[in-house]
Amino acid sequence: MKTKKILIIIGGGIAAYKSLDLIRLLKKNNFEIKTILTKSGREFVTPLSLTALTGSKPHENMFHTDEEAKIDHISLSRWADLVLVLPTTANFMSKLCQGRAEDLSTTVILASNKDIFLVPAMNVRMWSHLATQQNVKSLKNYGYKFIGPEKGEMACGEYGEGKMSSPRQIYSEIKNYFYNQKILTQKKLTALVTAGPTREYLDPVRYISNESSGKQGVAIANALSRIGIKTKLVLGPSDSQVDKGIKVIKVTSGIEMLNAVKKLLPVDIAVCAAAVSDVKPINKNTDKLKKSYNQLNNLKLDKNPDILEYLGKTNKSKPRLIVGFSAETKDLIKNSKKKIREKYCDIIIANDVSRRDIGFNSDYNEVHIIDSKGNKEKISKGKKSYIANLIVENILKKFLINDKNIN
Ligand code: PMT
């Protein structure tokens, strides 16, 4: 890939020190970096360390007299392929919302014709404050892209959402963005993702289900959509945050999920991350079941339709790449390889659901990506959003190989 140029604006927050690790990672992978050091960013990172890592002095002022600073706000914004603001503070977001151009950083952003990624970092209460959330909403409407924030322990000792994404996570988002831009400029792709659990009601108040939160599937839908793939999501009961721009169909049961999937075809790529209940009651009792032996003994179960298998077998509008998940508690690889054959998919993402620190309802996952030829790649434990980026990167690579029209 041609060398990509990133302009990093360093904001004033304790997480600013992580920008140095990110720059190191980007430079190691042949990205060209220029920086703007804001006045408050200077309190946390020195111009000297930025110069040493990037090979050029950070830009700090709007108006210069010296030779070195010939680059003005327009040429700086045109130079970049992408602009990254980290950490993005609550104050900085509020300035962007107002369209202020009061210093070099805000002026460059206002003048930019490139995608701008904001990487927020702040105290959990500052992040969840209605004013901040209103600003996030407006900024998304203006077209700004967000990386994070994540949940975790903060520099102030409190716990919650507001922690800046790790340099590794930010790097994976940037890499995906550029890698996939190449594909997307050639072809407009569409994707369908299933996510979350299903609920199979026994009576009006009780159901068969599982612990799926929808986080992994939603993270995949978000990752696909963020790189410009037109994404549709069929989502079982879940509170996970879905990005704007994704068409979401909310469902409850496995049958509803299958019907929604059928309606959304055709698509280029299908990813089945939902934990569809394998069984459902043959009949749903109209009234709440009684404990009586008769009523419980008459509970009859049936198999739910298999959505992934349906997609693999259908002749009508079959997706060009089908990705399944495999949730196992033992013999993960062996059982997952079997599922590729039995469910006719191209790739299976295998995860061990016996562990409590990953898989069901955790913010983390660890997966093996296995293709129909038996090639296997492990992605070590990371946030589900990070895992999703790498899965999407892998999916697109496979898509590229499968699809002779894209080169
Ligand atoms: O939702 P989270 O809390 O983030 O947790 C993520 C996850 C653990 C649910 C996810 O990573 C995962 O493993 N999803 C698949 C769960 C599952 O049902 O696995 P399975 O091995 O039983 O099914 C294999 C494949 O068949 C899956 O792609 C599944 O979506 C699909 N399937 C299964 C049954 C069915 N009736 N229809 C299906 O489409």
Side-chain angles (χ1 to χ4, degrees):
M1 195 174 13
K2 203 175 131 233
T3 304
K4 293 293 178 191
K5 299 178 194 129
I6 302 184
L7 176 65
I8 303 182
I9 297 174
I10 295 155
I14 186 78
Y17 76 93
K18 292 189 192 169
S19 63
L20 301 179
D21 279 341
L22 177 68
I23 292 170
R24 215 172 276 130
L25 197 55
L26 288 164
K27 288 289 284 182
K28 205 172 123 196
N29 288 282
N30 300 322
F31 285 88
E32 211 178 309
I33 311 290
K34 284 190 177 171
T35 55
I36 294 179
L37 186 56
T38 61
K39 210 168 149 207
S40 41
R42 210 176 209 275
E43 303 289 329
F44 299 92
V45 171
T46 66
L48 194 61
S49 36
L50 290 173
T51 310
L53 284 176
T54 63
S56 63
K57 271 185 177 177
H59 298 269
E60 294 189 72
N61 301 308
M62 257 310 257
F63 308 106
H64 309 268
T65 45
D66 62 327
E67 249 316 280
E68 167 269 323
K70 268 183 190 148
I71 289 189
D72 63 15
H73 58 280
I74 302 292
S75 47
L76 203 48
S77 69
R78 298 296 174 268
W79 170 85
D81 293 308
L82 181 152
V83 182
L84 192 67
V85 185
L86 92 159
T88 313
T89 60
N91 188 40
F92 200 82
M93 285 201 294
S94 126
K95 286 184 197 175
L96 295 186
C97 269
Q98 294 169 12
R100 304 238 308 253
E102 59 180 24
D103 58 10
L104 183 61
S105 60
T106 47
T107 311
V108 163
I109 288 180
L110 211 57
S112 175
N113 57 352
K114 305 293 164 30
D115 277 336
I116 298 164
F117 282 71
L118 306 179
V119 192
M122 65 197 75
N123 170 273
V124 54
R125 288 191 183 279
M126 290 173 81
W127 173 252
S128 59
H129 196 287
L130 205 60
T132 309
Q133 286 308 308
Q134 284 292 353
N135 288 342
V136 170
K137 221 169 147 186
S138 308
L139 291 171
K140 284 186 178 168
N141 275 337
Y142 290 157
Y144 289 92
K145 295 178 187 303
F146 280 77
I147 302 178
E150 315 285 339
K151 250 193 212 156
E153 190 158 341
M154 312 191 152
C156 60
E158 288 184 25
Y159 182 90
E161 201 173 356
K163 191 179 164 70
M164 192 171 95
S165 297
S166 67
R168 194 171 76 140
Q169 168 76 24
I170 301 166
Y171 172 70
S172 77
E173 297 265 0
I174 293 172
K175 207 172 124 214
N176 254 15
Y177 172 81
F178 285 122
Y179 179 76
N180 298 316
Q181 246 187 4
K182 188 181 154 218
I183 297 167
L184 299 167
T185 48
Q186 296 179 48
K187 202 141 191 125
K188 264 273 161 243
L189 298 179
T190 54
L192 165 68
V193 180
T194 70
T198 63
R199 286 181 185 170
E200 314 300 334
Y201 275 86
L202 304 166
D203 67 18
V205 288
R206 282 168 290 194
Y207 51 82
I208 300 170
S209 191
N210 55 62
E211 287 184 30
S212 166
S213 60
K215 287 176 195 168
Q216 185 64 85
V218 168
I220 289 174
N222 288 345
L224 287 163
S225 166
R226 277 176 203 169
I227 56 167
I229 295 183
K230 203 163 176 231
T231 306
K232 304 163 190 179
L233 172 68
V234 183
L235 182 61
S238 160
D239 305 326
S240 291
Q241 274 294 312
V242 183
D243 279 2
K244 211 170 152 260
I246 297 177
K247 178 175 176 153
V248 186
I249 313 292
K250 291 225 169 194
V251 296
T252 305
S253 68
I255 296 275
E256 283 172 24
M257 191 171 270
L258 174 67
N259 290 336
V261 163
K262 283 180 180 170
K263 276 194 197 142
L264 294 175
L265 294 176
V267 290
D268 296 301
I269 299 166
V271 183
C272 291
V276 185
S277 172
D278 284 326
V279 292
K280 62 178 174 61
I282 289 183
N283 293 311
K284 177 179 165 188
N285 231 53
T286 337
D287 296 311
K288 188 169 170 247
L289 284 165
K290 297 287 176 211
K291 273 187 239 151
S292 75
Y293 178 79
N294 267 355
Q295 277 214 332
L296 293 181
N297 210 37
N298 278 334
L299 256 181
K300 293 230 164 38
L301 299 178
D302 195 3
K303 265 171 87 175
N304 238 340
D306 196 301
I307 300 162
L308 178 61
E309 196 181 319
Y310 168 83
L311 289 170
K313 274 185 174 170
T314 187
N315 291 323
K316 223 174 83 190
S317 324
K318 181 174 168 173
R320 285 149 66 196
L321 192 87
I322 302 175
V323 183
F325 265 75
S326 171
E328 290 291 340
T329 52
K330 66 170 190 182
D331 297 330
L332 179 65
I333 303 299
K334 191 172 137 216
N335 289 339
S336 304
K337 281 184 173 170
K338 208 166 137 216
K339 274 180 214 166
I340 298 192
R341 292 190 297 276
E342 287 174 355
K343 302 205 181 205
Y344 308 92
C345 45
D346 301 293
I347 301 174
I348 205 115
I349 315 292
N351 44 196
D352 179 348
V353 288
S354 66
R355 284 169 57 179
R356 298 309 299 172
D357 62 324
I358 58 166
F360 279 119
N361 203 15
S362 164
D363 286 336
Y364 296 85
N365 212 354
E366 178 173 296
V367 301
H368 297 264
I369 303 179
I370 308 171
D371 69 19
S372 50
K373 292 192 186 100
N375 300 316
K376 189 163 63 76
E377 186 184 317
K378 181 177 172 184
I379 306 180
S380 301
K381 185 174 168 183
K383 290 262 177 186
K384 279 182 173 163
S385 49
Y386 167 72
I387 299 282
N389 282 336
L390 296 193
I391 290 174
V392 165
E393 186 184 324
N394 199 292
I395 289 174
L396 286 170
K397 258 189 221 155
K398 292 267 174 342
F399 193 83
L400 203 69
I401 294 164
N402 283 2
D403 194 310
K404 300 281 181 288
N405 298 322
I406 304 174
N407 42 49

PDB file of all heavy atoms in Angstrom, residues 326 328-341 348-352 367-370 374-378:
ATOM      1  N   SER A 326     -18.419 -20.115  15.947  1.00  0.00           N
ATOM      2  CA  SER A 326     -18.540 -21.411  16.583  1.00  0.00           C
ATOM      3  C   SER A 326     -18.259 -21.245  18.070  1.00  0.00           C
ATOM      4  O   SER A 326     -17.176 -20.793  18.460  1.00  0.00           O
ATOM      5  CB  SER A 326     -17.538 -22.380  15.949  1.00  0.00           C
ATOM      6  OG  SER A 326     -17.504 -23.567  16.679  1.00  0.00           O
ATOM      7  N   GLU A 328     -17.802 -23.110  21.476  1.00  0.00           N
ATOM      8  CA  GLU A 328     -17.529 -24.465  21.976  1.00  0.00           C
ATOM      9  C   GLU A 328     -16.958 -24.402  23.385  1.00  0.00           C
ATOM     10  O   GLU A 328     -16.314 -23.422  23.773  1.00  0.00           O
ATOM     11  CB  GLU A 328     -16.515 -25.170  21.057  1.00  0.00           C
ATOM     12  CG  GLU A 328     -17.059 -25.524  19.677  1.00  0.00           C
ATOM     13  CD  GLU A 328     -18.117 -26.641  19.713  1.00  0.00           C
ATOM     14  OE1 GLU A 328     -18.163 -27.402  20.708  1.00  0.00           O
ATOM     15  OE2 GLU A 328     -18.909 -26.728  18.758  1.00  0.00           O
ATOM     16  N   THR A 329     -17.184 -25.477  24.140  1.00  0.00           N
ATOM     17  CA  THR A 329     -16.583 -25.557  25.469  1.00  0.00           C
ATOM     18  C   THR A 329     -15.459 -26.600  25.493  1.00  0.00           C
ATOM     19  O   THR A 329     -14.695 -26.665  26.442  1.00  0.00           O
ATOM     20  CB  THR A 329     -17.641 -25.909  26.537  1.00  0.00           C
ATOM     21  OG1 THR A 329     -18.336 -27.078  26.096  1.00  0.00           O
ATOM     22  CG2 THR A 329     -18.628 -24.780  26.750  1.00  0.00           C
ATOM     23  N   LYS A 330     -15.391 -27.455  24.472  1.00  0.00           N
ATOM     24  CA  LYS A 330     -14.226 -28.352  24.345  1.00  0.00           C
ATOM     25  C   LYS A 330     -13.976 -28.685  22.869  1.00  0.00           C
ATOM     26  O   LYS A 330     -14.856 -28.486  22.024  1.00  0.00           O
ATOM     27  CB  LYS A 330     -14.404 -29.620  25.189  1.00  0.00           C
ATOM     28  CG  LYS A 330     -15.508 -30.536  24.751  1.00  0.00           C
ATOM     29  CD  LYS A 330     -15.403 -31.851  25.522  1.00  0.00           C
ATOM     30  CE  LYS A 330     -16.350 -32.844  24.897  1.00  0.00           C
ATOM     31  NZ  LYS A 330     -16.427 -34.104  25.505  1.00  0.00           N
ATOM     32  N   ASP A 331     -12.781 -29.163  22.579  1.00  0.00           N
ATOM     33  CA  ASP A 331     -12.363 -29.495  21.204  1.00  0.00           C
ATOM     34  C   ASP A 331     -12.720 -28.372  20.227  1.00  0.00           C
ATOM     35  O   ASP A 331     -13.356 -28.602  19.183  1.00  0.00           O
ATOM     36  CB  ASP A 331     -13.026 -30.805  20.741  1.00  0.00           C
ATOM     37  CG  ASP A 331     -12.588 -31.984  21.580  1.00  0.00           C
ATOM     38  OD1 ASP A 331     -11.443 -31.950  22.087  1.00  0.00           O
ATOM     39  OD2 ASP A 331     -13.392 -32.928  21.765  1.00  0.00           O
ATOM     40  N   LEU A 332     -12.314 -27.171  20.605  1.00  0.00           N
ATOM     41  CA  LEU A 332     -12.716 -25.967  19.859  1.00  0.00           C
ATOM     42  C   LEU A 332     -12.401 -26.070  18.360  1.00  0.00           C
ATOM     43  O   LEU A 332     -13.286 -25.863  17.523  1.00  0.00           O
ATOM     44  CB  LEU A 332     -12.017 -24.741  20.471  1.00  0.00           C
ATOM     45  CG  LEU A 332     -12.286 -23.396  19.816  1.00  0.00           C
ATOM     46  CD1 LEU A 332     -13.741 -22.996  19.964  1.00  0.00           C
ATOM     47  CD2 LEU A 332     -11.407 -22.299  20.445  1.00  0.00           C
ATOM     48  N   ILE A 333     -11.165 -26.404  18.030  1.00  0.00           N
ATOM     49  CA  ILE A 333     -10.758 -26.369  16.617  1.00  0.00           C
ATOM     50  C   ILE A 333     -11.429 -27.507  15.840  1.00  0.00           C
ATOM     51  O   ILE A 333     -12.002 -27.292  14.766  1.00  0.00           O
ATOM     52  CB  ILE A 333      -9.214 -26.431  16.490  1.00  0.00           C
ATOM     53  CG1 ILE A 333      -8.569 -25.281  17.284  1.00  0.00           C
ATOM     54  CG2 ILE A 333      -8.782 -26.412  15.028  1.00  0.00           C
ATOM     55  CD1 ILE A 333      -8.948 -23.883  16.831  1.00  0.00           C
ATOM     56  N   LYS A 334     -11.370 -28.695  16.441  1.00  0.00           N
ATOM     57  CA  LYS A 334     -11.926 -29.868  15.752  1.00  0.00           C
ATOM     58  C   LYS A 334     -13.428 -29.661  15.473  1.00  0.00           C
ATOM     59  O   LYS A 334     -13.892 -29.821  14.334  1.00  0.00           O
ATOM     60  CB  LYS A 334     -11.710 -31.103  16.648  1.00  0.00           C
ATOM     61  CG  LYS A 334     -11.997 -32.412  15.963  1.00  0.00           C
ATOM     62  CD  LYS A 334     -11.569 -33.571  16.861  1.00  0.00           C
ATOM     63  CE  LYS A 334     -12.646 -34.643  16.831  1.00  0.00           C
ATOM     64  NZ  LYS A 334     -12.819 -35.310  18.109  1.00  0.00           N
ATOM     65  N   ASN A 335     -14.159 -29.264  16.498  1.00  0.00           N
ATOM     66  CA  ASN A 335     -15.613 -29.080  16.320  1.00  0.00           C
ATOM     67  C   ASN A 335     -15.935 -27.929  15.373  1.00  0.00           C
ATOM     68  O   ASN A 335     -16.921 -27.977  14.637  1.00  0.00           O
ATOM     69  CB  ASN A 335     -16.292 -28.829  17.672  1.00  0.00           C
ATOM     70  CG  ASN A 335     -16.310 -30.090  18.513  1.00  0.00           C
ATOM     71  OD1 ASN A 335     -16.180 -31.191  17.988  1.00  0.00           O
ATOM     72  ND2 ASN A 335     -16.441 -29.938  19.829  1.00  0.00           N
ATOM     73  N   SER A 336     -15.097 -26.909  15.396  1.00  0.00           N
ATOM     74  CA  SER A 336     -15.366 -25.747  14.540  1.00  0.00           C
ATOM     75  C   SER A 336     -15.123 -26.090  13.074  1.00  0.00           C
ATOM     76  O   SER A 336     -15.875 -25.653  12.193  1.00  0.00           O
ATOM     77  CB  SER A 336     -14.503 -24.556  14.956  1.00  0.00           C
ATOM     78  OG  SER A 336     -14.735 -24.272  16.313  1.00  0.00           O
ATOM     79  N   LYS A 337     -14.082 -26.881  12.820  1.00  0.00           N
ATOM     80  CA  LYS A 337     -13.808 -27.288  11.430  1.00  0.00           C
ATOM     81  C   LYS A 337     -14.978 -28.108  10.889  1.00  0.00           C
ATOM     82  O   LYS A 337     -15.352 -27.991   9.720  1.00  0.00           O
ATOM     83  CB  LYS A 337     -12.515 -28.110  11.367  1.00  0.00           C
ATOM     84  CG  LYS A 337     -11.263 -27.241  11.425  1.00  0.00           C
ATOM     85  CD  LYS A 337     -10.019 -28.077  11.265  1.00  0.00           C
ATOM     86  CE  LYS A 337      -8.795 -27.180  11.140  1.00  0.00           C
ATOM     87  NZ  LYS A 337      -7.541 -27.934  11.214  1.00  0.00           N
ATOM     88  N   LYS A 338     -15.554 -28.912  11.785  1.00  0.00           N
ATOM     89  CA  LYS A 338     -16.695 -29.734  11.385  1.00  0.00           C
ATOM     90  C   LYS A 338     -17.871 -28.831  10.970  1.00  0.00           C
ATOM     91  O   LYS A 338     -18.562 -29.110   9.986  1.00  0.00           O
ATOM     92  CB  LYS A 338     -17.101 -30.607  12.586  1.00  0.00           C
ATOM     93  CG  LYS A 338     -17.750 -31.905  12.189  1.00  0.00           C
ATOM     94  CD  LYS A 338     -17.791 -32.846  13.382  1.00  0.00           C
ATOM     95  CE  LYS A 338     -19.141 -33.510  13.422  1.00  0.00           C
ATOM     96  NZ  LYS A 338     -19.666 -33.736  14.744  1.00  0.00           N
ATOM     97  N   LYS A 339     -18.030 -27.726  11.719  1.00  0.00           N
ATOM     98  CA  LYS A 339     -19.158 -26.813  11.421  1.00  0.00           C
ATOM     99  C   LYS A 339     -19.003 -26.158  10.055  1.00  0.00           C
ATOM    100  O   LYS A 339     -19.992 -25.883   9.384  1.00  0.00           O
ATOM    101  CB  LYS A 339     -19.273 -25.734  12.506  1.00  0.00           C
ATOM    102  CG  LYS A 339     -20.106 -26.197  13.687  1.00  0.00           C
ATOM    103  CD  LYS A 339     -20.208 -25.143  14.742  1.00  0.00           C
ATOM    104  CE  LYS A 339     -20.256 -25.803  16.102  1.00  0.00           C
ATOM    105  NZ  LYS A 339     -20.036 -24.899  17.205  1.00  0.00           N
ATOM    106  N   ILE A 340     -17.753 -25.905   9.634  1.00  0.00           N
ATOM    107  CA  ILE A 340     -17.558 -25.285   8.303  1.00  0.00           C
ATOM    108  C   ILE A 340     -18.190 -26.184   7.253  1.00  0.00           C
ATOM    109  O   ILE A 340     -18.884 -25.714   6.358  1.00  0.00           O
ATOM    110  CB  ILE A 340     -16.056 -25.104   7.960  1.00  0.00           C
ATOM    111  CG1 ILE A 340     -15.387 -24.181   8.945  1.00  0.00           C
ATOM    112  CG2 ILE A 340     -15.891 -24.580   6.532  1.00  0.00           C
ATOM    113  CD1 ILE A 340     -14.000 -23.734   8.530  1.00  0.00           C
ATOM    114  N   ARG A 341     -17.930 -27.487   7.396  1.00  0.00           N
ATOM    115  CA  ARG A 341     -18.463 -28.431   6.399  1.00  0.00           C
ATOM    116  C   ARG A 341     -19.977 -28.559   6.533  1.00  0.00           C
ATOM    117  O   ARG A 341     -20.710 -28.471   5.550  1.00  0.00           O
ATOM    118  CB  ARG A 341     -17.809 -29.811   6.588  1.00  0.00           C
ATOM    119  CG  ARG A 341     -16.331 -29.847   6.242  1.00  0.00           C
ATOM    120  CD  ARG A 341     -15.814 -31.274   6.204  1.00  0.00           C
ATOM    121  NE  ARG A 341     -15.899 -31.967   7.490  1.00  0.00           N
ATOM    122  CZ  ARG A 341     -14.973 -31.865   8.452  1.00  0.00           C
ATOM    123  NH1 ARG A 341     -13.904 -31.114   8.274  1.00  0.00           N
ATOM    124  NH2 ARG A 341     -15.106 -32.532   9.597  1.00  0.00           N
ATOM    125  N   ILE A 348     -15.023 -19.749   9.597  1.00  0.00           N
ATOM    126  CA  ILE A 348     -15.681 -19.868  10.905  1.00  0.00           C
ATOM    127  C   ILE A 348     -14.794 -19.181  11.947  1.00  0.00           C
ATOM    128  O   ILE A 348     -13.565 -19.272  11.887  1.00  0.00           O
ATOM    129  CB  ILE A 348     -15.995 -21.341  11.260  1.00  0.00           C
ATOM    130  CG1 ILE A 348     -17.163 -21.433  12.241  1.00  0.00           C
ATOM    131  CG2 ILE A 348     -14.818 -22.082  11.847  1.00  0.00           C
ATOM    132  CD1 ILE A 348     -18.383 -22.077  11.736  1.00  0.00           C
ATOM    133  N   ILE A 349     -15.438 -18.450  12.841  1.00  0.00           N
ATOM    134  CA  ILE A 349     -14.710 -17.768  13.913  1.00  0.00           C
ATOM    135  C   ILE A 349     -14.985 -18.574  15.181  1.00  0.00           C
ATOM    136  O   ILE A 349     -16.116 -18.584  15.681  1.00  0.00           O
ATOM    137  CB  ILE A 349     -15.207 -16.312  14.110  1.00  0.00           C
ATOM    138  CG1 ILE A 349     -15.373 -15.577  12.768  1.00  0.00           C
ATOM    139  CG2 ILE A 349     -14.323 -15.562  15.092  1.00  0.00           C
ATOM    140  CD1 ILE A 349     -14.116 -15.289  12.016  1.00  0.00           C
ATOM    141  N   ALA A 350     -13.941 -19.235  15.652  1.00  0.00           N
ATOM    142  CA  ALA A 350     -14.132 -20.146  16.786  1.00  0.00           C
ATOM    143  C   ALA A 350     -13.780 -19.450  18.093  1.00  0.00           C
ATOM    144  O   ALA A 350     -12.710 -18.842  18.206  1.00  0.00           O
ATOM    145  CB  ALA A 350     -13.245 -21.369  16.581  1.00  0.00           C
ATOM    146  N   ASN A 351     -14.693 -19.515  19.051  1.00  0.00           N
ATOM    147  CA  ASN A 351     -14.365 -18.985  20.388  1.00  0.00           C
ATOM    148  C   ASN A 351     -14.747 -19.972  21.481  1.00  0.00           C
ATOM    149  O   ASN A 351     -15.727 -20.709  21.379  1.00  0.00           O
ATOM    150  CB  ASN A 351     -14.927 -17.593  20.665  1.00  0.00           C
ATOM    151  CG  ASN A 351     -16.352 -17.343  20.249  1.00  0.00           C
ATOM    152  OD1 ASN A 351     -16.779 -16.208  20.155  1.00  0.00           O
ATOM    153  ND2 ASN A 351     -17.116 -18.395  20.015  1.00  0.00           N
ATOM    154  N   ASP A 352     -13.918 -19.964  22.531  1.00  0.00           N
ATOM    155  CA  ASP A 352     -14.097 -20.891  23.645  1.00  0.00           C
ATOM    156  C   ASP A 352     -15.047 -20.239  24.654  1.00  0.00           C
ATOM    157  O   ASP A 352     -14.685 -19.265  25.311  1.00  0.00           O
ATOM    158  CB  ASP A 352     -12.716 -21.137  24.274  1.00  0.00           C
ATOM    159  CG  ASP A 352     -12.777 -22.066  25.462  1.00  0.00           C
ATOM    160  OD1 ASP A 352     -13.894 -22.351  25.945  1.00  0.00           O
ATOM    161  OD2 ASP A 352     -11.708 -22.511  25.923  1.00  0.00           O
ATOM    162  N   VAL A 367     -10.195 -15.369  19.542  1.00  0.00           N
ATOM    163  CA  VAL A 367     -10.810 -16.219  18.515  1.00  0.00           C
ATOM    164  C   VAL A 367      -9.767 -16.848  17.600  1.00  0.00           C
ATOM    165  O   VAL A 367      -8.626 -16.398  17.521  1.00  0.00           O
ATOM    166  CB  VAL A 367     -11.810 -15.408  17.635  1.00  0.00           C
ATOM    167  CG1 VAL A 367     -12.916 -14.796  18.455  1.00  0.00           C
ATOM    168  CG2 VAL A 367     -11.105 -14.342  16.815  1.00  0.00           C
ATOM    169  N   HIS A 368     -10.199 -17.907  16.926  1.00  0.00           N
ATOM    170  CA  HIS A 368      -9.413 -18.504  15.848  1.00  0.00           C
ATOM    171  C   HIS A 368     -10.226 -18.308  14.578  1.00  0.00           C
ATOM    172  O   HIS A 368     -11.410 -18.628  14.542  1.00  0.00           O
ATOM    173  CB  HIS A 368      -9.211 -20.001  16.080  1.00  0.00           C
ATOM    174  CG  HIS A 368      -8.425 -20.293  17.316  1.00  0.00           C
ATOM    175  ND1 HIS A 368      -7.072 -20.522  17.294  1.00  0.00           N
ATOM    176  CD2 HIS A 368      -8.807 -20.374  18.615  1.00  0.00           C
ATOM    177  CE1 HIS A 368      -6.654 -20.741  18.527  1.00  0.00           C
ATOM    178  NE2 HIS A 368      -7.686 -20.652  19.347  1.00  0.00           N
ATOM    179  N   ILE A 369      -9.565 -17.809  13.552  1.00  0.00           N
ATOM    180  CA  ILE A 369     -10.251 -17.656  12.261  1.00  0.00           C
ATOM    181  C   ILE A 369      -9.846 -18.855  11.410  1.00  0.00           C
ATOM    182  O   ILE A 369      -8.659 -19.049  11.136  1.00  0.00           O
ATOM    183  CB  ILE A 369      -9.847 -16.345  11.562  1.00  0.00           C
ATOM    184  CG1 ILE A 369     -10.136 -15.148  12.483  1.00  0.00           C
ATOM    185  CG2 ILE A 369     -10.577 -16.195  10.233  1.00  0.00           C
ATOM    186  CD1 ILE A 369      -9.743 -13.800  11.909  1.00  0.00           C
ATOM    187  N   ILE A 370     -10.830 -19.657  11.037  1.00  0.00           N
ATOM    188  CA  ILE A 370     -10.529 -20.878  10.274  1.00  0.00           C
ATOM    189  C   ILE A 370     -11.258 -20.797   8.942  1.00  0.00           C
ATOM    190  O   ILE A 370     -12.451 -20.475   8.907  1.00  0.00           O
ATOM    191  CB  ILE A 370     -11.013 -22.132  11.034  1.00  0.00           C
ATOM    192  CG1 ILE A 370     -10.477 -22.116  12.479  1.00  0.00           C
ATOM    193  CG2 ILE A 370     -10.570 -23.413  10.329  1.00  0.00           C
ATOM    194  CD1 ILE A 370     -11.072 -23.184  13.366  1.00  0.00           C
ATOM    195  N   GLY A 374      -8.909 -25.022   5.792  1.00  0.00           N
ATOM    196  CA  GLY A 374      -8.263 -25.476   7.022  1.00  0.00           C
ATOM    197  C   GLY A 374      -7.208 -24.500   7.537  1.00  0.00           C
ATOM    198  O   GLY A 374      -6.587 -24.724   8.577  1.00  0.00           O
ATOM    199  N   ASN A 375      -6.984 -23.366   6.822  1.00  0.00           N
ATOM    200  CA  ASN A 375      -6.027 -22.359   7.328  1.00  0.00           C
ATOM    201  C   ASN A 375      -6.575 -21.763   8.621  1.00  0.00           C
ATOM    202  O   ASN A 375      -7.776 -21.512   8.716  1.00  0.00           O
ATOM    203  CB  ASN A 375      -5.831 -21.229   6.303  1.00  0.00           C
ATOM    204  CG  ASN A 375      -5.286 -21.761   5.002  1.00  0.00           C
ATOM    205  OD1 ASN A 375      -4.381 -22.587   5.014  1.00  0.00           O
ATOM    206  ND2 ASN A 375      -5.857 -21.316   3.887  1.00  0.00           N
ATOM    207  N   LYS A 376      -5.665 -21.515   9.548  1.00  0.00           N
ATOM    208  CA  LYS A 376      -6.106 -21.111  10.886  1.00  0.00           C
ATOM    209  C   LYS A 376      -5.244 -19.946  11.367  1.00  0.00           C
ATOM    210  O   LYS A 376      -4.034 -19.960  11.183  1.00  0.00           O
ATOM    211  CB  LYS A 376      -5.925 -22.326  11.804  1.00  0.00           C
ATOM    212  CG  LYS A 376      -6.499 -22.218  13.178  1.00  0.00           C
ATOM    213  CD  LYS A 376      -6.608 -23.615  13.794  1.00  0.00           C
ATOM    214  CE  LYS A 376      -5.309 -24.340  13.997  1.00  0.00           C
ATOM    215  NZ  LYS A 376      -4.475 -23.941  15.096  1.00  0.00           N
ATOM    216  N   GLU A 377      -5.895 -18.950  11.961  1.00  0.00           N
ATOM    217  CA  GLU A 377      -5.140 -17.811  12.506  1.00  0.00           C
ATOM    218  C   GLU A 377      -5.733 -17.460  13.858  1.00  0.00           C
ATOM    219  O   GLU A 377      -6.953 -17.347  13.991  1.00  0.00           O
ATOM    220  CB  GLU A 377      -5.296 -16.621  11.545  1.00  0.00           C
ATOM    221  CG  GLU A 377      -4.458 -15.433  11.897  1.00  0.00           C
ATOM    222  CD  GLU A 377      -4.738 -14.254  10.957  1.00  0.00           C
ATOM    223  OE1 GLU A 377      -4.862 -14.480   9.723  1.00  0.00           O
ATOM    224  OE2 GLU A 377      -4.863 -13.134  11.456  1.00  0.00           O
ATOM    225  N   LYS A 378      -4.863 -17.301  14.868  1.00  0.00           N
ATOM    226  CA  LYS A 378      -5.388 -16.981  16.205  1.00  0.00           C
ATOM    227  C   LYS A 378      -5.328 -15.471  16.452  1.00  0.00           C
ATOM    228  O   LYS A 378      -4.330 -14.832  16.115  1.00  0.00           O
ATOM    229  CB  LYS A 378      -4.550 -17.707  17.257  1.00  0.00           C
ATOM    230  CG  LYS A 378      -5.034 -17.463  18.671  1.00  0.00           C
ATOM    231  CD  LYS A 378      -4.236 -18.235  19.680  1.00  0.00           C
ATOM    232  CE  LYS A 378      -4.647 -17.800  21.074  1.00  0.00           C
ATOM    233  NZ  LYS A 378      -3.860 -18.416  22.127  1.00  0.00           N
TER     234      LYS A 378
END
